[in-house]
Amino acid sequence: MTVNRLDAADRAVHDWYRFVLSFPPHLVRDYLERFELASGQTILDPFCGTGTTLVEARLHGLRAIGIEANALAHFASTVKTSWAVDPDEMVTHAEAVAALALSELAGWNGAPLRSLANEPQALLLRDSISPLPLHKALVLRDALRTAHDCRWLDHELLDHELLALAHVLVNDASNLHFGPEVGVRSVKRSDASVVEAWLETVCRMADDVRQLPQAMPPATVHHADARNMGQLLRPVSIDAVFTSPPYPNEKDYTRTTRLESVVLGYVNSKAELRAMKQGLLRSNTRNVYKHDDDDAWVAAYPQVLALADEIERRRSELGKTSGFERLYARVTRLYFGGMARHLAELRPFLRPGAMLGYVVGDQASFFQVLIRTGELLADIAQSLGYEVVSIDLFRTRLATATKQQMREEVVVLRWPKRVRRTLPPAPMTRNRQSVRVSPLAPRNSPLLSS
Ligand SMILES: C[S@@+](CC[C@H](N)C(=O)[O-])C[C@H]1O[C@@H](n2cnc3c(N)ncnc32)[C@H](O)[C@@H]1O
């Protein structure tokens, strides 16, 4: 497990906000070195999460491009790669905002605590935050809003300070634990020093900014779907890819960021949550929809079809009939179909010889049928014209249900130096148009529009 931990030496910037799905910076570094990337070249992370690849890339003088469909993770990656803020100004502003929030909290006269409206509140995991820490976080959030409205906090600083609030909400104010599923602790935090923890976090961020090299190539982070990148990238412009897409299991990736997404206003209703899920790769039964048809992309892959059939056969043998269980076979086809679609879509943007690393884990969440994610992705990539260089073991994890050690691997691919004139066709049976979706609309900080 330690192989996945954030080393103390890597805390700067990476620690501004991370989640349980983040991979460690040292893994990215190993592959930047192995791919022999030179300063000024461009690396893409199409499932960039909280921006680990992008931050490391910038630290190494590379141009970085990220794509992320979860609005909160996109916001975190954007802030973590925005280093042109004045650290002294950031601390001065934060002290003023903290003073405003603390004076309001000190003057509390027993009036009802601040809380969320019913609809956003209903999106939270039950008891994920106790009433008093939530009240304090909302007082702080509203003090930030006031500071911005009064124009004594500019947009960039506001974003950094909001990310610090996201960090504090999860780490200092909530009752959440991550291990690796997100859950709620049995012993709840009835109170927390939210404003003080936030000010400390902002000061740490300012210290990090002071140490950062400023004249580095820029990073761009798109709030978009990695299965539909056509409008975002320039043809033949990407030298390398290093990424970790979701894995096919029962993890609802939006639960991991739910508390901070709701408090910061990135998700306000069931409809907004659904819209966010629709932009994600189908990897669990809670984000499968009637009209989904990514499975068309693997209609010609016997290995994926056989795997889905085995899962369905197992369901029938076990007599499992719930709606979720009936979807396991379909989600498996949709997952590999979505990855095939992504890999097919990526091809025109890669430079000849571009190196790619996909970090994925074997899974057994669907009736304990073993899904060799890395091997299957390598096969799909090969049939799309990629060369499979290696499948490296990154670490093993103990699967709680089966007590088996599951492999987490880096699938290393290369886009050929000499690309065949006719690329192998995308493995699909339906009209290409029918499986395209629009890129997600970019979003400004929702705090400003509410
Ligand atoms: C395993 S996490 C990546 C973590 C990242 N390596 C880090 O260090 O923070 C996978 C990410 O892919 C995102 N994602 C899922 N489907 C996506 C899609 N279709 N397009 C873009 N991002 C997607 C999820 O929201 C999640 O943040």
Side-chain angles (χ1 to χ4, degrees):
M1 268 323 252
T2 50
V3 76
N4 204 34
R5 245 193 240 136
L6 185 67
D7 293 343
D10 286 332
R11 197 202 45 73
V13 186
H14 288 294
D15 203 23
W16 289 3
Y17 175 91
R18 272 168 69 78
F19 57 20
V20 67
L21 313 166
S22 301
F23 51 33
H26 65 76
L27 180 69
V28 180
R29 273 197 304 274
D30 289 349
Y31 281 85
L32 294 185
E33 209 168 291
R34 181 165 158 195
F35 293 171
E36 296 180 345
L37 293 169
S39 165
Q41 287 191 299
T42 302
I43 186 164
L44 169 73
D45 184 342
F47 301 92
C48 70
T50 62
T52 312
T53 299
L54 311 182
V55 170
E56 276 305 305
R58 280 209 82 192
L59 289 170
H60 286 79
L62 299 168
R63 289 179 182 279
I65 302 177
I67 298 175
E68 173 55 55
N70 173 324
L72 191 278
H74 165 259
F75 168 68
S77 279
T78 307
V79 175
K80 286 171 74 178
T81 49
S82 304
W83 301 348
V85 283
D86 180 333
D88 298 327
E89 219 182 315
M90 189 150 100
V91 171
T92 309
H93 280 131
E95 284 170 349
V97 170
L100 190 70
L102 286 172
S103 83
E104 174 163 356
L105 290 170
W108 182 58
N109 58 6
L113 296 177
R114 241 176 255 197
S115 58
L116 295 163
N118 288 345
E119 192 166 12
Q121 175 69 41
L123 299 173
L124 298 186
L125 278 67
R126 187 188 293 272
D127 291 333
S128 54
I129 185 164
S130 306
L132 189 53
L134 177 61
H135 168 72
K136 292 181 173 181
L138 294 175
V139 167
L140 177 57
R141 184 197 68 177
D142 295 345
L144 280 164
R145 177 182 287 170
T146 306
H148 184 268
D149 289 350
C150 299
R151 298 189 188 284
W152 46 278
L153 182 54
D154 76 21
H155 199 87
E156 282 252 297
L157 289 178
L158 175 70
D159 283 351
H160 283 71
E161 296 185 1
L162 285 173
L163 188 66
L165 177 55
H167 177 105
V168 165
L169 269 167
V170 179
N171 296 290
D172 303 276
S174 81
N175 299 318
L176 296 172
H177 71 81
F178 299 88
E181 296 294 340
V182 52
V184 174
R185 290 193 208 133
S186 49
V187 180
K188 312 283 183 295
R189 248 184 204 131
S190 56
D191 194 5
S193 306
V194 174
V195 179
E196 296 82 346
W198 171 79
L199 185 57
E200 263 176 45
T201 306
V202 175
C203 291
R204 266 204 315 273
M205 287 166 84
D207 282 345
D208 291 350
V209 171
R210 285 188 190 98
Q211 316 291 325
L212 286 171
Q214 290 294 329
M216 283 293 175
T220 312
V221 193
H222 299 284
H223 181 214
D225 183 338
R227 295 166 299 171
N228 188 19
M229 304 169 287
Q231 312 296 314
L232 308 175
L233 306 173
R234 275 190 302 113
V236 200
S237 62
I238 305 294
D239 297 289
V241 171
F242 197 77
T243 194
S244 174
Y247 312 158
N249 54 31
E250 265 308 79
K251 249 184 220 156
D252 173 353
Y253 281 73
T254 66
R255 276 164 66 94
T256 313
T257 54
R258 191 70 60 82
L259 174 63
E260 55 279 36
S261 295
V262 168
V263 173
L264 297 190
Y266 282 101
V267 183
N268 298 292
S269 63
K270 270 191 176 170
E272 287 183 13
L273 182 61
R274 185 184 159 100
M276 188 195 286
K277 286 185 178 183
Q278 285 179 335
L280 301 178
L281 201 68
R282 303 299 185 258
S283 60
N284 66 81
T285 57
R286 275 164 260 180
N287 78 335
V288 169
Y289 302 92
K290 198 165 150 205
H291 300 293
D292 285 347
D293 55 8
D294 279 351
D295 49 348
W297 290 74
V298 283
Y301 281 97
Q303 308 94 308
V304 175
L305 300 183
L307 174 65
D309 287 349
E310 192 185 337
I311 291 170
E312 182 54 18
R313 198 167 40 248
R314 194 85 189 105
R315 181 188 73 74
S316 162
E317 272 167 22
L318 294 169
K320 302 282 188 183
T321 54
S322 78
F324 290 121
E325 290 160 328
R326 284 177 186 279
L327 283 173
Y328 286 171
R330 178 152 185 246
V331 85
T332 305
R333 287 191 300 268
L334 288 169
Y335 171 79
F336 286 103
M339 284 305 294
R341 183 176 157 198
H342 157 73
L343 287 166
E345 174 99 353
L346 184 60
R347 296 177 296 182
F349 306 109
L350 298 171
R351 286 193 207 276
M355 296 296 295
L356 306 92
Y358 282 77
V359 183
V360 286
D362 286 350
Q363 298 295 318
S365 306
F366 304 145
F367 308 122
Q368 302 184 9
V369 173
L370 183 61
I371 302 182
R372 295 229 180 264
T373 316
E375 274 181 24
L376 286 167
L377 283 184
D379 285 350
I380 291 172
Q382 196 163 30
S383 75
L384 287 166
Y386 293 83
E387 295 165 3
V388 178
V389 176
S390 59
I391 302 182
D392 309 337
L393 180 65
F394 162 42
R395 60 171 182 155
T396 55
R397 286 172 304 110
L398 187 70
T400 26
T402 58
K403 302 278 174 267
Q404 261 186 313
Q405 288 293 338
M406 307 293 277
R407 288 172 68 86
E408 200 155 327
E409 299 169 323
V410 186
V411 178
V412 181
L413 307 171
R414 181 170 36 228
W415 187 237
K417 288 218 163 93
R418 289 168 153 268
V419 180
R420 273 182 283 160
R421 211 162 259 235
T422 327
L423 291 174
M428 51 186 274
T429 54
R430 283 178 235 178
N431 179 312
R432 189 183 165 107
Q433 281 312 104
S434 70
V435 292
R436 290 180 74 87
V437 294
S438 312
L440 304 174
R443 290 192 60 178
N444 289 327
S445 167
L447 198 67
L448 302 179
S449 48
S450 56

